[in-house]
Amino acid sequence: MVFKVYYQETINQVPIRENTKSLYLEGSSVGEVRKKIADRNFNIEFVQEVTGAYLEYEKQNKDFKVLEIG
């Protein structure tokens, strides 16, 4: 499954919509995705599974890239 992670770049950064970044990861659950990026010191706002029409829409974005994190 593909998940979209909304985050701030540092754990101390207060979530502000204009500063929110996102990335895509593959995983079997939200918990697994959170574990994969735990060492990056992000302030994670939300992790959302992306499927169906929403995934197809996201793939149209030129910046769409699913990160490979082991």
Side-chain angles (χ1 to χ4, degrees):
M1 293 183 280
V2 176
F3 291 87
K4 185 172 185 178
V5 180
Y6 298 90
Y7 68 96
Q8 303 294 315
E9 289 187 317
T10 64
I11 195 79
N12 298 325
Q13 191 172 1
V14 176
I16 299 172
R17 184 185 312 178
E18 291 79 15
N19 296 336
T20 299
K21 304 204 186 279
S22 63
L23 58 86
Y24 301 91
L25 287 172
E26 284 191 6
S28 60
S29 68
V30 171
E32 181 185 346
V33 169
R34 286 181 175 271
K35 285 180 185 177
K36 285 183 176 183
I37 57 176
D39 64 336
R40 295 187 179 218
N41 204 30
F42 290 155
N43 183 1
I44 300 170
E45 294 180 38
F46 187 63
V47 179
Q48 177 181 19
E49 184 180 353
V50 182
T51 60
Y54 183 39
L55 179 58
E56 294 307 314
Y57 173 78
E58 290 290 338
K59 285 181 179 179
Q60 293 175 13
N61 184 340
K62 65 179 177 149
D63 295 326
F64 179 83
K65 181 181 177 187
V66 178
L67 296 180
E68 298 290 330
I69 299 176

